[in-house]
């Protein structure tokens, strides 16, 4: 496979606690994700799925090892450099949409683009394109409270990719949805990955959705294992 490496974890350790009470979650974890690839992270609660996503997304620092995002070795970077990579290279989607309630769907998708320095007309145009791509262009003027759960998650996905990141990390993005709606949301997400060349790592308890991805990994004894 000649696709670009979007994410590479090498020997990653992550521990919590202090003194004699230390809980080791990740123990020398290795993982590689390439552009255009969509990978399911399937593991029981408490094994470190969210920790892995937080370390991969530069929200937490590993205690040992390295996290490489689009060729950038991040383990020793300062906070400002990590923030810049997170803003430009990484998109996040969570189980709850976390949309800003006082803004419309369109404005929510514009927000990260404006923060990144795009003009308002440019941000608006891209937001409209993403809404159309997610098949909810007609809902752009609606606030989150006026959208269904599936529509809210599709807006959240569009917002996550508004700045054209290389890497998308999703933590149970369909966990709050009924099976049929979850299927629609995953189809939209999968199409986005295929068309844009994104690399996506998606934590999910939904084995049916996991089976549709390119491969599945789990966490065992603090290490990432292929399933």
């Amino acid at each position: 496979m000649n696709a670009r490496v979007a994410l590479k974890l090498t020997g990653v350790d992550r521990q919590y606690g202090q003194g004699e009470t230390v809980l080791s979650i990740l123990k020398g974890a290795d993982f590689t994700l390439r552009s255009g690839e969509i990978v399911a992270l399937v593991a029981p609660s408490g094994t470190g799925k969210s920790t892995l996503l937080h370390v991969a997304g530069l929200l937490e620092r590993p205690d040992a090892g390295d996290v490489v995002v689009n060729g950038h070795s991040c383990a020793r970077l300062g906070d400002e450099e990590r923030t810049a990579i997170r803003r430009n290279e990484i998109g996040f989607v969570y189980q709850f949409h976390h949309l800003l309630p006082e803004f419309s769907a369109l404005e929510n998708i514009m927000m990260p683009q404006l923060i990144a320095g795009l003009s308002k007309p440019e941000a608006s145009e891209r937001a409209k394109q993403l809404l159309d791509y997610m098949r909810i262009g007609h809902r752009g003027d609606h606030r989150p409270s006026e959208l269904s759960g599936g529509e809210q998650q599709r807006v959240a996905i569009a917002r996550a990719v508004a700045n054209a990141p290389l890497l998308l990390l999703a933590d149970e993005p369909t966990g709050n949805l009924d099976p049929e709606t979850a299927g629609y949301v995953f189809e939209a997400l999968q199409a986005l990955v295929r068309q844009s060349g994104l690399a996506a790592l998606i934590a999910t308890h939904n084995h049916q959705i996991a089976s549709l991805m390119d491969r599945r990994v789990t966490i065992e004894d603090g290490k990432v294992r292929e399933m």
Side-chain angles (χ1 to χ4, degrees):
M1 184 183 293
N2 295 320
R4 177 170 42 170
V5 174
L7 171 69
K8 188 175 182 65
L9 307 183
T10 306
V12 167
D13 291 352
R14 186 69 178 106
Q15 302 171 341
Y16 298 101
Q18 47 187 317
E20 295 181 359
T21 307
V22 175
L23 182 62
S24 294
I25 303 297
L26 300 177
K27 308 171 189 175
D30 298 319
F31 176 68
T32 300
L33 181 67
R34 297 178 181 275
S35 59
E37 186 178 31
I38 185 167
V39 175
L41 174 58
V42 184
S45 297
T47 55
K49 293 194 305 296
S50 294
T51 297
L52 182 69
L53 290 172
H54 288 170
V55 170
L58 310 184
L59 295 171
E60 296 183 24
R61 289 183 181 272
D63 296 299
D66 197 7
V67 179
V68 179
V69 177
N70 193 20
H72 303 288
S73 176
C74 301
R76 295 175 179 81
L77 293 181
D79 289 341
E80 287 188 12
E81 294 168 301
R82 288 166 63 86
T83 297
I85 291 174
R86 197 162 56 236
R87 181 178 62 240
N88 298 324
E89 306 282 1
I90 305 173
F92 296 90
V93 182
Y94 298 98
Q95 184 170 352
F96 185 71
H97 57 79
H98 294 296
L99 298 172
L100 298 172
E102 66 270 32
F103 294 102
S104 68
L106 184 76
E107 290 166 337
N108 267 278
I109 301 170
M110 289 174 62
M111 202 69 65
Q113 301 177 75
L114 296 174
I115 292 171
L118 262 69
S119 69
K120 202 167 184 178
E122 288 176 311
S124 177
E125 181 60 29
R126 177 156 172 78
K128 289 175 182 176
Q129 290 173 354
L130 285 167
L131 283 170
D132 286 340
Y133 193 86
M134 302 301 283
R135 299 181 182 177
I136 48 173
H138 60 295
R139 305 291 273 167
D141 292 334
H142 292 72
R143 294 187 179 185
S145 61
E146 300 170 315
L147 303 174
S148 69
E151 289 170 339
Q152 289 169 344
Q153 278 302 77
R154 280 183 275 180
V155 174
I157 292 168
R159 181 183 60 182
V161 301
N163 285 336
L166 178 65
L167 174 64
L168 180 67
L169 302 172
D171 195 355
E172 298 286 350
T174 62
N176 286 332
L177 306 176
D178 64 80
E180 184 177 8
T181 304
Y184 289 143
V185 170
F186 177 73
E187 284 178 11
L189 177 57
Q190 187 178 44
L192 192 63
V193 169
R194 301 299 185 220
Q195 291 293 324
S196 66
L198 266 170
L201 177 62
I202 301 176
T204 182
H205 282 108
N206 188 320
H207 289 274
Q208 182 177 357
I209 284 179
S211 69
L212 300 174
M213 301 192 208
D214 296 324
R215 56 190 174 101
R216 292 176 294 165
V217 299
T218 189
I219 300 174
E220 293 179 356
D221 298 323
K223 289 181 166 52
V224 180
R225 314 275 192 197
E226 296 282 341
M227 295 180 70

